[in-house]
């Protein structure tokens, strides 16, 4: 069974040859401009039947392949703001309760150390996958992608193409998932041989990312059998085919009256348009690391500076009162997310740079900065701008250096899709850096 969306397109062409001229005309019109429906694919017909048997009522959405986003859901009719676009009955959701009431409950409940929700659902998915048609969830599993474009699917050479800041986050995430795998492997080796025989890193990676990329927020009571953190996830068949747009306005949650997980949109759609939800106001490195894609015009995209960058400023400018300044910043939670965006320096970064630029007297009135009650033109602000320019120049140079290195690196045996993702991330960072440099260079305190 192929899970590759492109393979579906090829099969479409094959079917077209077997059908009449009017069908061909209809399909040709769709290529480029219109999505290609997959509603008549065997997997989806079976999925729909199975869902109907389990209480799902017909809705106006159907799976289709879109040029820009791959597989997603399109509407067959006009959707108006305020409409509920999809409603999934509780018995079709895979939650930690599903796992803790399933045939593997005894094993999961005895796991030591306790599993997280994501680990428990991953174990459940792998177990159900290996049952094939015997699984109650077979029709759902059959429609899931078999691989992902998240960092754990990248080879070393592909990872090395990522912007430095994304690379370090990706490595951290990879290590986290490897630990989650090791925990399961060592317990199952001793206490659940049957599972251990089918369990391997590849199917764990698959299950982990099915959950990571497709689960919805679903509030459940903490279970004594699982770790208490992040106990709020559910897989929702069919609904999980909705792609992300930073501009989508939706409301999602479990409706206790209908006993369904519902999504209401506040956007309007014409027939055959792709319907989107928002996964949250995520920047591109988050979207890439968690979901394996990026958005080219992402309004939430940022470039992050780190504590190391601040230390670089300290040493270069022989900064006074470092400990005091850092303590104030730490106490006020200002040392994380030091970012810039297409709109320039974030308020947090600007506050940090101004604080670092203060002398003793100014530090005594530190909280006035937060209220923007300091005079507009002063030496502190001028120095803070020098700090900003220094950081930007340094980031720009290291960006150019990385660009140069990625160009001269000869890449063989790499996946084009992975290298393109890395390149797009680098391009987006360059755009943010150059725009912020332009904004900062245009600041003139004398004219304000
Ligand atoms: C919840 S699933 C959405 C359905 C999925 N496209 C499918 O074929 O089943 C999330 C995944 O869809 C893809 N995706 C979502 N939004 C996207 C977008 N705007 N552009 C490209 N890919 C997107 C990413 O691969 C992401 O991990």
């Amino acid at each position: 069974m192929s899970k590759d969306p492109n393979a579906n397109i090829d099969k479409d062409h094959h079917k077209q040859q077997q059908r009449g001229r009017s069908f061909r005309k209809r399909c040709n019109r769709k290529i480029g401009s219109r999505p290609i429906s997959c509603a008549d694919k065997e997997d989806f017909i079976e999925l729909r039947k199975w869902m109907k048997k389990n209480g799902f009522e017909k809705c106006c959405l159907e799976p289709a392949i879109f040029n820009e986003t791959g597989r997603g859901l399109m509407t067959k009719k006009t959707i108006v703001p305020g409409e509920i676009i999809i409603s999934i009955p509780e018995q079709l959701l895979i939650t930690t309760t599903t796992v803790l009431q399933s045939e593997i409950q005894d094993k999961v409940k005895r796991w030591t150390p306790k599993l997280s929700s994501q680990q428990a659902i991953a174990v459940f998915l792998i177990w159900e996958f290996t049952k094939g048609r015997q699984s109650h969830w077979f029709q759902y599993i059959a429609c899931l992608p078999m691989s992902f474009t998240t960092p754990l699917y990248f080879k070393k050479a592909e990872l090395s193409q990522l912007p430095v800041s994304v690379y370090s986050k990706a490595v951290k995430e990879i290590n986290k998932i490897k630990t989650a795998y090791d925990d399961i492997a060592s317990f199952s080796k001793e206490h659940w041989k049957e599972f251990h025989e089918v369990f391997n890193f590849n199917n764990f990676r698959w299950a982990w990312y099915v959950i990571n990329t497709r689960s919805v927020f679903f509030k459940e009571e903490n279970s004594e059998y699982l770790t208490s953190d992040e106990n709020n996830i559910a897989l929702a068949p069919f609904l999980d085919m909705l792609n992300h747009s930073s501009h989508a306005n939706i409301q999602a949650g479990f409706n206790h009256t209908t006993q369904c997980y519902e999504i209401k949109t506040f956007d309007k759609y014409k027939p055959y348009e792709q319907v989107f939800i928002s996964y949250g106001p995520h920047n591109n490195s988050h979207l890439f690391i968690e979901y394996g894609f990026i958005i080219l015009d992402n309004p939430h995209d940022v470039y992050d500076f780190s504590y190391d960058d601040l230390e670089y400023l300290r040493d270069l400018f022989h900064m006074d009162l470092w400990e005091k300044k850092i303590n104030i910043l730490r106490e006020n939670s200002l040392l994380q997310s030091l970012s810039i965006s297409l709109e320039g320096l974030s308020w947090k970064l600007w506050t940090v740079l101004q604080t670092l630029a203060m002398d003793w007297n100014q530090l005594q009135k530190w909280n006035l900065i937060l209220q923007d009650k300091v005079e507009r033109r002063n030496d502190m602000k001028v120095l803070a701008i020098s700090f900003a320019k220094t950081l930007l120049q340094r980031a720009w140079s290291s960006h150019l250096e990385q660009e140069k290195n990625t160009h001269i690196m000869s890449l063989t045996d790499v996946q084009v899709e992975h290298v393109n993702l890395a390149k797009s991330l680098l391009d987006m960072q360059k755009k943010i850096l150059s725009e912020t440099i332009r904004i900062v260079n245009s600041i003139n305190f004398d004219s304000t």
Side-chain angles (χ1 to χ4, degrees):
M1 185 178 2
S2 174
K3 300 293 184 313
D4 177 1
N6 294 323
N8 289 338
I9 295 175
D10 288 337
K11 275 195 239 144
D12 263 345
H13 281 300
H14 179 65
K15 274 196 186 150
Q16 279 179 43
Q17 282 164 12
Q18 298 169 334
R19 297 185 197 180
R21 203 190 318 156
S22 60
F23 178 84
R24 264 200 308 275
K25 263 192 183 165
R26 223 169 47 232
C27 284
N28 285 340
R29 253 203 330 261
K30 284 181 182 176
I31 292 169
S33 55
R34 273 193 185 183
I36 299 169
S37 170
C38 337
D40 58 357
K41 296 265 163 300
E42 194 101 346
D43 288 349
F44 292 114
I45 294 171
E46 284 214 29
L47 176 71
R48 216 170 33 228
K49 278 193 204 152
W50 170 76
M51 289 183 70
K52 196 169 166 217
K53 224 164 48 185
N54 286 283
F56 178 66
E57 285 174 19
K58 223 171 160 253
C59 82
C60 65
L61 305 178
E62 67 176 43
I65 307 292
F66 300 85
N67 273 345
E68 311 77 25
T69 57
R71 190 175 70 175
L73 292 180
M74 76 170 169
T75 176
K76 295 292 294 292
K77 68 165 196 67
T78 301
I79 291 176
V80 296
E83 241 183 86
I84 290 174
I85 49 171
I86 195 159
S87 183
I88 307 292
E90 189 174 16
Q91 64 265 32
L92 283 172
L93 304 177
I94 299 179
T95 64
T96 51
T97 304
T98 317
V99 181
L100 292 169
Q101 290 177 352
S102 71
E103 64 189 26
I104 64 167
Q105 60 171 289
D106 289 344
K107 302 289 180 194
V108 174
K109 286 177 183 171
R110 267 188 236 134
W111 218 285
T112 325
K114 287 177 190 175
L115 295 173
S116 70
S117 306
Q118 188 156 348
Q119 284 175 312
I121 296 178
V123 167
F124 178 77
L125 270 182
I126 295 166
W127 185 248
E128 292 299 316
F129 183 94
T130 56
K131 281 160 66 180
R133 280 213 165 261
Q134 304 307 313
S135 167
H136 168 68
W137 303 96
F138 173 79
Q139 284 80 359
Y140 172 53
I141 291 172
C143 291
L144 292 172
M146 288 310 287
S147 80
F148 298 88
T149 48
T150 41
L152 200 47
Y153 283 80
F154 276 45
K155 296 191 183 105
K156 269 199 178 132
E158 295 164 347
L159 283 173
S160 73
Q161 303 288 293
L162 293 169
V164 179
S165 61
V166 182
Y167 175 85
S168 55
K169 286 181 198 154
V171 169
K172 219 166 145 190
E173 184 71 9
I174 288 170
N175 289 336
K176 182 180 101 184
I177 300 167
K178 284 186 174 161
T179 307
Y181 166 77
D182 288 341
D183 289 348
I184 296 177
S186 55
F187 181 85
S188 63
K189 189 174 177 196
E190 293 300 318
H191 304 284
W192 192 8
K193 294 272 179 301
E194 223 179 336
F195 181 75
H196 194 70
E197 276 164 21
V198 294
F199 183 61
N200 56 49
F201 189 68
N202 277 346
N203 60 25
F204 176 71
R205 179 175 68 164
W206 166 79
W208 182 272
Y209 278 112
V210 164
I211 302 161
N212 229 60
T213 63
R214 312 178 78 81
S215 60
V216 292
F217 180 86
F218 182 78
K219 187 96 195 102
E220 281 199 290
E221 288 299 307
N222 274 348
S223 160
E224 60 179 300
Y225 302 112
L226 301 173
T227 57
S228 54
D229 54 326
E230 30 142 336
N231 195 24
N232 298 310
I233 47 177
L235 287 167
F238 192 62
L239 180 149
D240 64 2
M241 285 186 207
L242 284 160
N243 284 326
H244 164 83
S245 159
S246 320
H247 305 290
N249 282 302
I250 59 132
Q251 200 177 59
F254 191 72
N255 180 334
H256 290 275
T257 312
T258 60
Q259 293 289 298
C260 287
Y261 193 93
E262 294 176 348
I263 292 188
K264 185 189 271 188
T265 182
F266 299 102
D267 301 318
K268 55 181 181 220
Y269 294 93
K270 292 191 207 120
Y272 303 105
E273 280 185 336
Q274 176 164 203
V275 174
F276 290 100
I277 56 173
S278 166
Y279 301 173
H282 301 311
N283 61 45
N284 276 336
S285 74
H286 183 92
L287 285 178
F288 165 63
I289 288 169
E290 299 294 333
Y291 301 96
F293 75 101
I294 62 162
I295 299 270
L296 289 181
D297 58 352
N298 187 346
H300 306 294
D301 209 18
V302 290
Y303 177 100
D304 283 323
F305 288 96
S306 65
Y307 188 73
D308 287 352
D309 291 304
L310 304 185
E311 288 185 323
Y312 172 77
L313 287 180
R314 175 195 64 191
D315 298 343
L316 190 71
F317 286 85
H318 307 292
M319 218 175 263
D320 285 338
L321 307 165
W322 172 258
E323 294 294 333
K324 182 163 177 59
K325 291 169 180 175
I326 290 300
N327 280 344
I328 293 177
L329 294 172
R330 190 170 287 124
E331 277 161 19
N332 288 280
S333 311
L334 287 167
L335 287 175
Q336 297 95 34
S337 313
L338 304 177
S339 59
I340 58 173
S341 69
L342 287 172
E343 293 176 356
L345 306 180
S346 66
W347 174 86
K348 230 179 193 181
L349 179 58
W350 179 228
T351 304
V352 168
L353 295 180
Q354 288 183 97
T355 307
L356 295 182
M358 286 180 187
D359 60 25
W360 176 261
N361 288 333
Q362 287 161 334
L363 270 185
Q364 308 311 307
K365 298 184 286 184
W366 179 82
N367 62 344
L368 294 182
I369 292 176
L370 295 180
Q371 299 158 31
D372 212 17
K373 283 187 184 160
V374 281
E375 62 273 36
R376 284 187 77 76
R377 193 212 183 286
N378 66 32
D379 293 346
M380 181 267 286
K381 285 197 177 189
V382 173
L383 185 56
I385 287 292
S386 306
F387 290 167
K389 285 183 180 170
T390 305
L391 285 188
L392 289 166
Q393 202 46 54
R394 184 169 185 244
W396 184 252
S397 305
S398 78
H399 179 90
L400 293 184
E401 188 63 26
Q402 189 176 11
E403 250 185 8
K404 206 167 72 192
N405 289 341
T406 53
H407 280 150
I408 54 173
M409 212 162 170
S410 70
L411 291 171
T412 49
D413 194 25
V414 290
Q415 282 197 40
V416 178
E417 193 181 1
H418 294 177
V419 175
N420 284 346
L421 262 171
K423 188 174 176 329
S424 300
L425 279 160
L426 216 50
D427 288 347
M428 282 300 291
Q429 291 209 340
K430 189 176 191 176
K431 208 166 145 189
I432 291 173
L433 275 171
S434 69
E435 187 54 19
T436 305
I437 289 172
R438 192 193 64 71
I439 293 170
V440 169
N441 282 341
S442 68
I443 294 174
N444 180 359
F445 288 120
D446 292 331
S447 61
T448 55

